[in-house]
Amino acid sequence: MLYYLKLTRESEFRIEKALYRQGKIVGGVYVGRGQEAIGVGSAIQLSEGDVVLPSHRDFSSFLIRGIPLKDIFCNWMARANGPTRGRENTLHIGNLERGLIPIISPLGDTCPVACGVALAMKQQKKKNVALVHFGEGTSSRGDVHEAMNLAAVMKLAVIFICNNNAYAYSTSTEKQYAIEDLAVRGAAYGMPGVKVDGNDVLAVYQTVAKAIARSRKGDGPSFIECKTFRMTGHSAHDAAEYVPEKLIKRWEARDPILRLEKYLLARQIISRKDIRELDETIKKEVDEAVAFAEASPFPKGPEALEGVYCGPDCWWERPGKES
Ligand SMILES: Cc1ncc(C[n+]2csc(CCOP(=O)(O)OP(=O)(O)O)c2C)c(N)n1
Ligand SMILES: [Mg+2]
């Protein structure tokens, strides 16, 4: 878990604070600094056949589900050999074999898709689960409520993970909803609704583990509210001047990486030297992936149209031959 927390932090740091500022990444850059424990503590315990639907701040899900770092940087830097071949330059990438559905930009729409995934699992009599991530701002959208209701009625194996990072762009939570904890909404749909310290990776792990066990038994969905804080702007262009300094200071002290390090050091599971070595390994891994992406070619103009429209090879043009 420490490895993935740190790999996520370092990769996103490069994306947001180096490559974006150097003009090597253009467009919207969303990162999950400070929120890494939610993605790590949940995705790390999934089995084969389980599916994750990340939001725009769950970079760790991509890493844990085995998307190579080189592919990720090639995609961010719009290179021809990236997964979207330079036609999309954030992380709208997925891999069904690895159980990863791409980020869906209209927020909230991932939740009904998660229901569809879980319904397919149910019809195939599989004991798999779908983990869907979304922000607290997104949780007020109708699609999320419809999906929660449907999942509860049909007892679908969906774990709704709300990353409550205190802001939806510049809107703070008091202006978003009139309840203290979003977790209470679970009960309204007939599913467990729990809140957890989203900056404590071990607590996230345990809470998600319970929800997964319940779903695998066939008892249906759960709603988990992970309380955390967005330790950056909404996007790389946003200096977040509307966020009070004292809040940032308060949450800095709860940094999920430092907390896990402290826990592991106190129990002598790792040493300071191990941590230094881990940091160096990660820096090297990211350096290599960035260098690979920088040395990779951009796509050529006409390639932009390849695969956009259906040709004779598309399975949906050949009824009955879908695989
Ligand atoms: C339906 C929809 N409305 C608005 C947007 C623009 N948008 C992208 S991220 C974002 C903020 C979402 O806040 P939250 O759900 O709390 O997630 P966070 O960014 O804080 O992780 C907005 C408004 C969108 N992508 N989709
Ligand atoms: Mg938010």
Side-chain angles (χ1 to χ4, degrees):
M1 287 201 278
L2 190 61
Y3 167 77
Y4 280 116
L5 287 172
K6 283 175 173 280
L7 185 61
T8 303
R9 176 80 53 97
E10 179 65 21
S11 303
E12 290 195 324
F13 180 81
R14 277 326 156 87
I15 291 163
E16 187 192 18
K17 301 289 182 198
L19 298 168
Y20 174 78
R21 278 156 216 273
Q22 291 162 0
K24 292 174 183 167
I25 290 177
V26 293
V29 168
Y30 310 92
V31 299
R33 190 158 70 250
Q35 307 178 207
E36 299 91 342
I38 303 167
V40 172
S42 52
I44 205 148
Q45 54 186 311
L46 294 181
S47 310
E48 208 181 323
D50 293 336
V51 171
V52 187
L53 298 95
S55 82
H56 51 293
R57 300 201 199 277
D58 302 298
F59 186 82
S60 60
S61 303
F62 293 86
L63 301 175
I64 295 173
R65 293 258 98 185
I67 307 290
L69 210 48
K70 283 179 181 170
D71 281 0
I72 290 175
F73 277 100
C74 280
N75 207 72
W76 273 107
M77 294 168 80
R79 304 300 159 137
N81 50 351
T84 57
R85 296 191 275 153
R87 287 175 293 183
E88 188 285 316
N89 62 334
T90 51
L91 268 190
H92 291 88
I93 61 173
N95 185 325
L96 279 186
E97 277 158 25
R98 296 183 187 276
L100 190 77
I101 306 270
I103 298 164
I104 303 175
S105 278
L107 297 173
D109 288 5
T110 23
C111 291
V113 173
C115 290
V117 169
L119 182 59
M121 289 165 173
K122 190 175 177 150
Q123 287 177 343
Q124 292 164 18
K125 306 218 177 323
K126 290 182 178 161
K127 296 242 174 287
N128 288 114
V129 299
L131 284 189
V132 59
H133 292 273
F134 50 94
E136 86 295 337
T138 306
S139 76
S140 295
R141 289 211 66 228
D143 312 61
V144 178
H145 294 268
E146 290 168 28
M148 284 173 68
N149 190 49
L150 184 71
V153 169
M154 298 189 79
K155 282 200 184 304
L156 301 176
V158 183
I159 322 292
F160 294 92
I161 304 184
C162 179
N163 294 226
N164 188 344
N165 63 2
Y167 282 88
Y169 207 132
S170 54
T171 309
S172 57
T173 47
E174 318 83 73
K175 292 183 190 143
Q176 292 184 40
Y177 49 81
I179 42 178
E180 180 71 21
D181 297 316
L182 292 171
V184 301
R185 290 186 179 168
Y189 295 102
M191 68 175 81
V194 282
K195 66 171 170 173
V196 62
D197 179 347
N199 283 27
D200 178 348
V201 73
L202 301 174
V204 171
Y205 184 98
Q206 283 159 4
T207 307
V208 174
K210 274 191 207 141
I212 291 179
R214 191 184 133 83
S215 280
R216 291 208 205 283
K217 270 199 301 178
D219 290 345
S222 298
F223 179 82
I224 301 172
E225 179 188 9
C226 300
K227 303 267 194 193
T228 184
F229 199 76
R230 196 190 69 197
M231 296 298 285
T232 181
H234 168 70
S235 170
H237 67 266
D238 170 27
E241 280 150 353
Y242 50 84
V243 177
E245 190 64 30
K246 66 171 192 309
L247 274 183
I248 296 172
K249 288 265 163 309
R250 192 183 304 157
W251 284 90
E252 253 168 17
R254 302 183 194 166
D255 184 290
I257 299 183
L258 297 180
R259 276 168 78 177
L260 184 61
E261 280 182 359
K262 206 169 150 196
Y263 177 93
L264 297 170
L265 286 167
R267 284 159 187 77
Q268 296 181 342
I269 297 168
I270 51 167
S271 64
R272 292 243 171 247
K273 185 166 164 278
D274 294 330
I275 295 177
R276 272 197 304 277
E277 282 172 9
L278 185 61
D279 287 340
E280 277 162 29
T281 311
I282 285 169
K283 190 176 170 302
K284 201 161 153 267
E285 265 184 66
V286 178
D287 282 346
E288 280 170 13
V290 171
F292 178 86
E294 291 208 66
S296 298
F298 284 107
K300 298 198 171 46
E303 289 171 16
L305 284 179
E306 284 172 15
V308 174
Y309 298 104
C310 188
D313 295 336
C314 296
W315 62 261
W316 59 89
E317 289 276 294
R318 296 177 285 124
K321 293 199 178 160
E322 54 270 35
S323 56

Short mmCIF file of all heavy atoms in Angstrom, two decimals, residues 135-137 163 165-168, ligand 2:
data_model
loop_
_atom_site.label_atom_id
_atom_site.label_comp_id
_atom_site.label_asym_id
_atom_site.label_seq_id
_atom_site.Cartn_x
_atom_site.Cartn_y
_atom_site.Cartn_z
N GLY A 135 -17.17 12.04 -6.40
CA GLY A 135 -16.97 13.07 -5.39
C GLY A 135 -18.27 13.40 -4.66
O GLY A 135 -19.35 12.98 -5.06
N GLU A 136 -18.13 14.21 -3.58
CA GLU A 136 -19.35 14.57 -2.83
C GLU A 136 -20.24 15.50 -3.65
O GLU A 136 -21.45 15.46 -3.53
CB GLU A 136 -18.98 15.18 -1.46
CG GLU A 136 -18.69 16.67 -1.41
CD GLU A 136 -17.47 17.07 -2.21
OE1 GLU A 136 -16.59 16.23 -2.45
OE2 GLU A 136 -17.39 18.26 -2.61
N GLY A 137 -19.62 16.32 -4.52
CA GLY A 137 -20.43 17.19 -5.39
C GLY A 137 -21.27 16.32 -6.31
O GLY A 137 -22.49 16.53 -6.45
N ASN A 163 -15.86 10.04 -2.45
CA ASN A 163 -14.62 10.72 -2.02
C ASN A 163 -15.00 12.14 -1.61
O ASN A 163 -15.08 13.03 -2.45
CB ASN A 163 -13.63 10.81 -3.19
CG ASN A 163 -13.09 9.47 -3.67
OD1 ASN A 163 -11.90 9.31 -3.87
ND2 ASN A 163 -13.96 8.49 -3.88
N ASN A 165 -14.07 15.29 -0.53
CA ASN A 165 -12.84 16.08 -0.36
C ASN A 165 -13.13 17.54 -0.03
O ASN A 165 -12.32 18.42 -0.23
CB ASN A 165 -11.96 15.96 -1.60
CG ASN A 165 -12.63 16.52 -2.85
OD1 ASN A 165 -13.74 17.04 -2.78
ND2 ASN A 165 -11.95 16.43 -3.97
N ALA A 166 -14.33 17.82 0.45
CA ALA A 166 -14.73 19.13 0.98
C ALA A 166 -15.02 20.21 -0.05
O ALA A 166 -15.55 21.26 0.29
CB ALA A 166 -13.73 19.64 2.02
N TYR A 167 -14.68 19.99 -1.28
CA TYR A 167 -14.97 20.99 -2.33
C TYR A 167 -15.42 20.31 -3.62
O TYR A 167 -14.96 19.22 -3.95
CB TYR A 167 -13.72 21.83 -2.65
CG TYR A 167 -13.48 22.90 -1.62
CD1 TYR A 167 -12.73 22.63 -0.48
CD2 TYR A 167 -14.04 24.17 -1.76
CE1 TYR A 167 -12.53 23.59 0.50
CE2 TYR A 167 -13.86 25.14 -0.79
CZ TYR A 167 -13.11 24.85 0.33
OH TYR A 167 -12.93 25.81 1.29
N ALA A 168 -16.33 20.96 -4.32
CA ALA A 168 -16.64 20.61 -5.70
C ALA A 168 -16.29 21.85 -6.49
O ALA A 168 -16.98 22.87 -6.39
CB ALA A 168 -18.11 20.26 -5.87
MG MG B 2 -15.34 17.11 -4.07
#
